[in-house]
Amino acid sequence: MRAQDFVEPPPIDPDRPAGSLRVLTYNVRRCLGLDGAYSTERIARVIARTGAEIVALQELDLGRARSGGVDQAAEIGAALGMDMFFHPAMTVLEERYGDAILSAPGVRLVKAAAISEGPARWSREPRGALWAEATVDGAAVQIVTTHFGLWRGERRAQAETMLGPEWLGHPDCRSPIVLLGDFNSVPTSRAYKRLAARLRDVQNARPQVDARTYPTRRPLLRIDHIFVSEEVEVRGLWAVRNPEARIASDHLPLCADLRVPTPG
């Protein structure tokens, strides 16, 4: 195995500065690996190796026949000992499909809602978002995650929704802010540029890092992103590549070490 084929964050330093936080975003593709096997246990192991304290997951099944009818977010959260907030972007009878935030205890959910609803000229599939508030060494940090659509028009509309008064533009969504997820948007796209005009892409603080996450076997595209408000310090960034991550999903996890200002 070549050195560049094995990339993951180091263990968390117990003496790291106050306000430090490790976050991760991961499109798990309903926990369906490239070997054709569904495994929440494998996804949990990939996440556990990173030591991430806030985890945003996309494309999770709940009660769907194709993945054995399990609650994937709950199983992953239980394996990691984390609290779990799940939002079903799509519901068909008893089957649900959507996104989640996993965290250590003490994080509260502020909002979980659709960002595109019903058939429209630019909407191909329902999409949603979650907003939670974490307290990091006395500082309230707003954590927002979403999963944008596959078409340019819907991604532009979803970016405007996220920037609007119900989400990032809400008076309670005060800095420091972390926005992360699968945006299906490369840095040259209009949707990405709209978000990057409001928040800072962590990649810009670590330009030497190869943050491409898709597709897993040969990552060519940077479509999973972590954005932060200006006062958040970026201390590390990794597109996680190890033998298990390279088969667990069609996306690699994207992980960042951050530091937010703390009281005093």
Side-chain angles (χ1 to χ4, degrees):
M1 180 181 295
R2 299 170 300 173
Q4 60 265 37
D5 289 335
F6 193 94
V7 178
E8 59 184 16
I12 289 178
D13 183 354
D15 297 322
R16 62 184 179 164
S20 296
L21 177 68
R22 182 169 288 180
V23 302
L24 179 143
T25 182
Y26 193 8
N27 183 322
V28 299
R29 194 177 74 151
R30 60 191 185 276
C31 301
L32 175 62
L34 301 189
D35 58 356
Y38 285 91
S39 176
T40 56
E41 295 87 352
R42 180 165 55 191
I43 293 293
R45 286 195 301 269
V46 170
I47 297 169
R49 285 181 66 103
T50 70
E53 297 152 299
I54 299 286
V55 177
L57 300 178
Q58 302 87 46
E59 295 195 13
L60 291 156
D61 280 356
L62 191 164
R64 301 200 73 175
R66 66 182 182 183
S67 50
V70 303
D71 184 339
Q72 292 185 329
E75 287 196 353
I76 296 168
L80 295 169
M82 288 180 152
D83 287 350
M84 181 275 292
F85 306 108
F86 173 77
H87 176 255
M90 182 168 63
T91 300
V92 179
L93 299 177
E94 300 301 316
E95 297 190 344
R96 299 180 183 182
Y97 174 72
D99 314 307
I101 292 176
L102 307 182
S103 71
V107 174
R108 72 177 184 92
L109 182 67
V110 177
K111 181 177 182 177
I115 59 169
S116 60
E117 298 183 22
R121 180 174 58 85
W122 47 263
S123 179
R124 303 298 198 278
E125 180 181 302
R127 302 284 175 166
L130 297 97
W131 167 11
E133 183 177 276
T135 302
V136 181
D137 294 326
V141 183
Q142 310 307 316
I143 309 292
V144 182
T145 186
T146 188
H147 182 196
F148 282 3
L150 297 176
W151 303 92
R152 285 178 295 178
E154 65 179 330
R155 289 196 299 268
R156 290 196 296 268
Q158 288 156 0
E160 296 302 328
T161 297
M162 295 307 300
L163 292 166
E166 296 300 316
W167 297 94
L168 297 174
H170 192 283
D172 291 338
C173 196
R174 296 182 293 270
S175 297
I177 298 168
V178 180
L179 170 67
L180 70 173
D182 175 3
F183 297 88
N184 277 311
S185 304
V186 296
T188 56
S189 67
R190 288 174 60 183
Y192 170 93
K193 290 178 179 178
R194 286 288 292 126
L195 297 173
R198 169 69 172 83
L199 297 169
R200 183 165 52 105
D201 184 351
V202 296
Q203 171 81 88
N204 294 336
R206 290 290 186 273
Q208 74 280 11
V209 174
D210 183 356
R212 295 175 294 179
T213 54
Y214 182 83
T216 304
R217 290 202 186 279
R218 189 180 180 186
L220 298 173
L221 299 177
R222 194 161 73 85
I223 57 176
D224 300 283
H225 303 292
I226 300 172
F227 298 95
V228 296
S229 49
E230 191 60 37
E231 73 282 9
V232 178
E233 178 186 356
V234 182
R235 300 174 60 86
L237 177 66
W238 304 268
V240 179
R241 289 192 289 275
N242 58 49
E244 203 152 43
R246 291 174 69 88
I247 198 171
S249 173
D250 61 344
H251 286 241
L252 296 172
L254 184 66
C255 184
D257 271 352
L258 309 174
R259 186 184 179 197
V260 302
T262 57

